[in-house]
Amino acid sequence: MPINNISNAACSYCNCSPHCLIESNPFNRISQLLVKRTRHFARNETLCVLNDRFQNIYIIKQGAVKAYQVDINGHECIHAFYFSGEMFGYRAIHTGHYISTVVALTDTLVCEIPYDQFVDSLQYNLELSKHFLSLISRQLSTSSYVDIISAENRVAAFLIDMSLRIKRNNPMQELVLPMSRQDIGNYLRLTAETVSRILSRLQKNKLIIVEGKSIRILNPEKHQSLKIS
Amino acid sequence: MPINNISNAACSYCNCSPHCLIESNPFNRISQLLVKRTRHFARNETLCVLNDRFQNIYIIKQGAVKAYQVDINGHECIHAFYFSGEMFGYRAIHTGHYISTVVALTDTLVCEIPYDQFVDSLQYNLELSKHFLSLISRQLSTSSYVDIISAENRVAAFLIDMSLRIKRNNPMQELVLPMSRQDIGNYLRLTAETVSRILSRLQKNKLIIVEGKSIRILNPEKHQSLKIS
DNA sequence: CGCCGTATTGAGCGCTCTCAAGCTAGGTGG
DNA sequence: CCACCTAGCTTGAGAGCGCTCAATACGGCG
């Protein structure tokens, strides 16, 4: 696997193409014009650091990352996980500096797109402008888990979301979470102990089967009803 | 005060101009091209309704609004307040339908901008594209209050934020909150009772002076330290 | 095998919620 | 002018959920 492999292939040739967030005709039309770069990061490697100068938007070709800030108590506040096909970095557009540190949860391949060049290309393509605005707006329209009051509903909603976003190529429909219980807790504003207890409880109630990082969801419908507190 | 007064004045003549979020040279240059409309809403009147077709982006010239969804338990989840000079509606870009109901908290004047026309105008002005993306990105980069664990810190952070966003023309630096305690609670995911108790506690600790909806912040520095849990 | 990081489980505490009772301000009518 | 009403706000008592602290179990790896 080549590190920092420079490539300028059209999006249609990307291995992430079937489920890429920005995969769409308008983007493909423009994609040939953009110099993109595929980069590889090992588990625990840092993709970008809080306060570094904003330069690139990233799309994950393969793998998973977490984006977090460390608060004054040293607590790691995770505000997002991103998976295969998803885009990140755009939250830095306003400040010009990354507003979180992003770390790979597993071996991860990303597509790196220089923002300056990308935004300049918008003037040649109104459709791309519209599409990009729509993508960003999508992030604004998805409500956060912390809106959900009870811890159990929050974990259930998290599992449903993960099961929809993590691409799986196994027949058993099992979900393999790339993050630790602590990460899940930091994301949902719960402690790792609470996350663990709730997973046990959901298993006892025959809603899921837990085997370490691998989780099988037995009754997605039941979970749906849990989702909204 | 004319209702639904049609106007197409340049932004520079708007009474909101001194503190408008989208006030900037690039926008002013384009603003003459856009048909805008000034509309008036009385207290408790609805500006837009959840699931209605997305047509306009709004900028508040004067007043205040709350944006909320009602969850399946009938609980009103407020996800934002907007004040004079601020923009809303852009969260609907992705879905094409408004994702919340917006209601006036006081008598409110808004500037209504048709999105289709606005987005078409982007192709004539790259600077406007960049500026608009930056504005939207700003919304993504501001973290939510619910990230703050303790209720006291959440309320303190809320008060600091309000004091920065609500424009005042009084010398005593007093903050007049346009929303009820219940609204504050719905926004911070606390009960109205808890909000009330915490305001009393902050007053007892000589951090604020509460007189109904009017609040004076005595030690902004002390609050800052409260802000991050 | 022992080691270490992660996950699970338990006991007790504290914060916020629930439920309920008073309180206040503003409005209406006599 | 006061009596009365109502909605919103405040305050109190008790309960429950999630946190803290601590012990134990698991799993990968030398």
Side-chain angles (χ1 to χ4, degrees), chain A residues 73 94 119 126 134 137 229, chain B residues 73 94 119 126 134 137 189 229:
Chain A
N73 305 320
H94 178 70
V119 86
L126 181 61
S134 171
S137 153
S229 63
Chain B
N73 305 320
H94 178 71
V119 85
L126 182 60
S134 171
S137 153
R189 310 295 176 243
S229 64

Side-chain angles (χ1 to χ4, degrees), chain A residues 33-50:
Chain A
L33 302 175
L34 288 170
V35 177
K36 296 164 297 182
R37 209 161 70 128
T38 296
R39 297 185 63 187
H40 173 262
F41 295 88
R43 182 172 136 78
N44 290 327
E45 263 193 290
T46 303
L47 284 80
C48 58
V49 177
L50 175 69

Side-chain angles (χ1 to χ4, degrees), chain B residues 130-195:
Chain B
K130 288 185 180 177
H131 184 63
F132 188 62
L133 280 171
S134 171
L135 275 180
I136 291 196
S137 153
R138 178 173 176 177
Q139 298 301 318
L140 284 162
S141 65
T142 55
S143 60
S144 148
Y145 291 114
V146 278
D147 283 354
I148 300 172
I149 302 296
S150 94
E152 184 164 325
N153 291 346
R154 224 181 287 177
V155 172
F158 174 77
L159 291 177
I160 293 286
D161 187 33
M162 290 301 107
S163 73
L164 296 172
R165 288 169 61 198
I166 298 179
K167 311 304 175 226
R168 301 175 274 189
N169 41 9
N170 64 66
M172 291 299 290
Q173 284 297 88
E174 71 174 348
L175 173 66
V176 179
L177 298 172
M179 71 293 282
S180 69
R181 301 287 192 263
Q182 186 65 55
D183 284 339
I184 298 175
N186 290 349
Y187 180 54
L188 299 178
R189 310 295 176 243
L190 300 170
T191 59
E193 294 95 321
T194 300
V195 172

Side-chain angles (χ1 to χ4, degrees), chain A residues 71-73 90-91 93-94 99 115 119-120 122-123 126 130 132-134 136-141 146-147 189 228-229, chain B residues 71-73 90-91 93-94 99 115 119-120 122-123 126 130 132-134 136-141 146-147 189 228-229:
Chain A
D71 72 15
I72 49 169
N73 305 320
Y90 48 83
R91 289 158 58 119
I93 294 171
H94 178 70
I99 60 159
Y115 182 70
V119 86
D120 281 347
L122 292 180
Q123 65 187 312
L126 181 61
K130 288 185 180 177
F132 189 61
L133 280 171
S134 171
I136 291 195
S137 153
R138 178 173 175 176
Q139 298 301 319
L140 283 162
S141 65
V146 276
D147 284 354
R189 311 296 175 240
I228 317 276
S229 63
Chain B
D71 72 14
I72 50 169
N73 305 320
Y90 48 82
R91 289 159 56 121
I93 294 172
H94 178 71
I99 59 160
Y115 181 71
V119 85
D120 282 347
L122 292 180
Q123 65 187 311
L126 182 60
K130 288 185 180 177
F132 188 62
L133 280 171
S134 171
I136 291 196
S137 153
R138 178 173 176 177
Q139 298 301 318
L140 284 162
S141 65
V146 278
D147 283 354
R189 310 295 176 243
I228 316 277
S229 64

Side-chain angles (χ1 to χ4, degrees), chain A:
Chain A
M1 178 80 66
I3 306 289
N4 297 349
N5 166 30
I6 308 288
S7 87
N8 192 19
C11 286
S12 35
Y13 294 109
C14 173
N15 61 357
C16 152
S17 170
H19 44 72
C20 179
L21 253 193
I22 64 165
E23 170 76 14
S24 75
N25 284 329
F27 194 84
N28 271 332
R29 236 182 286 148
I30 202 74
S31 64
Q32 280 88 344
L33 302 175
L34 288 170
V35 177
K36 296 164 297 182
R37 209 161 70 128
T38 296
R39 297 185 63 187
H40 173 262
F41 295 88
R43 182 172 136 78
N44 290 327
E45 263 193 290
T46 303
L47 284 80
C48 58
V49 177
L50 175 69
N51 290 332
D52 272 6
R53 193 163 77 80
F54 168 56
Q55 288 180 288
N56 300 301
I57 287 182
Y58 296 93
I59 295 160
I60 301 184
K61 290 160 90 84
Q62 205 180 306
V65 302
K66 63 176 174 182
Y68 65 91
Q69 288 184 350
V70 176
D71 72 15
I72 49 169
N73 305 320
H75 182 79
E76 183 178 294
C77 292
I78 298 178
H79 55 253
F81 296 108
Y82 296 103
F83 304 102
S84 206
E86 297 179 349
M87 173 177 74
F88 68 90
Y90 48 83
R91 289 158 58 119
I93 294 171
H94 178 70
T95 58
H97 296 269
Y98 289 109
I99 60 159
S100 54
T101 299
V102 178
V103 168
L105 292 169
T106 62
D107 274 20
T108 297
L109 275 178
V110 296
C111 169
E112 193 178 74
I113 301 174
Y115 182 70
D116 283 348
Q117 210 191 102
F118 173 77
V119 86
D120 281 347
S121 77
L122 292 180
Q123 65 187 312
Y124 305 116
N125 197 326
L126 181 61
E127 287 309 308
L128 180 59
S129 292
K130 288 185 180 177
H131 183 63
F132 189 61
L133 280 171
S134 171
L135 275 180
I136 291 195
S137 153
R138 178 173 175 176
Q139 298 301 319
L140 283 162
S141 65
T142 55
S143 59
S144 147
Y145 291 113
V146 276
D147 284 354
I148 299 171
I149 302 295
S150 93
E152 184 164 326
N153 291 346
R154 223 181 287 178
V155 172
F158 174 78
L159 291 177
I160 293 288
D161 187 32
M162 290 302 107
S163 74
L164 296 172
R165 289 168 61 198
I166 299 179
K167 311 303 175 229
R168 301 174 275 187
N169 41 9
N170 64 67
M172 291 301 289
Q173 284 297 89
E174 72 173 347
L175 173 64
V176 179
L177 298 173
M179 71 292 283
S180 69
R181 300 289 193 263
Q182 186 64 55
D183 284 339
I184 298 174
N186 289 348
Y187 179 56
L188 299 178
R189 311 296 175 240
L190 300 170
T191 59
E193 293 94 320
T194 300
V195 172
S196 183
R197 262 186 267 272
I198 287 169
L199 289 176
S200 300
R201 200 190 309 161
L202 290 174
Q203 177 164 244
K204 211 178 71 185
N205 297 341
K206 309 245 186 294
L207 288 166
I208 60 175
I209 295 174
V210 183
E211 275 180 74
K213 299 213 180 273
S214 162
I215 290 177
R216 283 230 308 278
I217 299 176
L218 300 178
N219 292 344
E221 326 76 46
K222 262 192 173 171
H223 280 262
Q224 282 299 345
S225 67
L226 277 179
K227 215 170 148 178
I228 317 276
S229 63

